[in-house]
Amino acid sequence: MLYTGSICLLREPFRNAARAAWQVPGPLRVFDPNIRPTLLPDAAALDTVRTMVEEFFATADLVKLSSADAAVLYDGAEPPAAAEHIRKLGAKAVVVTWGPGARSWRPRTAPPC
């Protein structure tokens, strides 16, 4: 399993190492955006991070999204809307932590788990 998140993407050489590892076929790819607004000085920095995380979302086997991540990345979006957007980008599955419990989300067209 390969597990990464956005904090390591903020700096080189970690960003390039994460991208290179993500391209290796085989391991389950899990992405946890773990957005930290205090590390993003302005709207341009948030836009840059959003572009980077969406690059990883597009090929992730699993995205672990918190309700806080959804709100920051997608301008106050509710987790189900953010999860649907992430699935449309290409993520195979999205698990949302939302308050004290975890919830999974899948499109209505997906077969039952």
Side-chain angles (χ1 to χ4, degrees), residues 36-56:
R36 296 291 184 250
T38 56
L39 299 176
L40 306 172
D42 54 32
L46 176 58
D47 289 342
T48 298
V49 166
R50 183 182 305 111
T51 298
M52 282 191 296
V53 300
E54 287 187 343
E55 172 189 337
F56 284 82

Side-chain angles (χ1 to χ4, degrees), residues 37-112:
T38 56
L39 299 176
L40 306 172
D42 54 32
L46 176 58
D47 289 342
T48 298
V49 166
R50 183 182 305 111
T51 298
M52 282 191 296
V53 300
E54 287 187 343
E55 172 189 337
F56 284 82
F57 289 165
T59 56
D61 294 301
L62 175 65
V63 173
K64 194 257 341 120
L65 183 76
S66 72
S67 56
D69 293 334
V72 172
L73 283 171
Y74 299 114
D75 198 28
E78 289 292 318
E84 181 175 358
H85 175 74
I86 292 166
R87 288 272 303 170
K88 286 179 180 177
L89 290 172
K92 291 180 183 160
V94 180
V95 172
V96 177
T97 56
W98 196 353
R103 299 178 183 164
S104 65
W105 181 89
R106 59 187 167 78
R108 293 175 199 240
T109 58

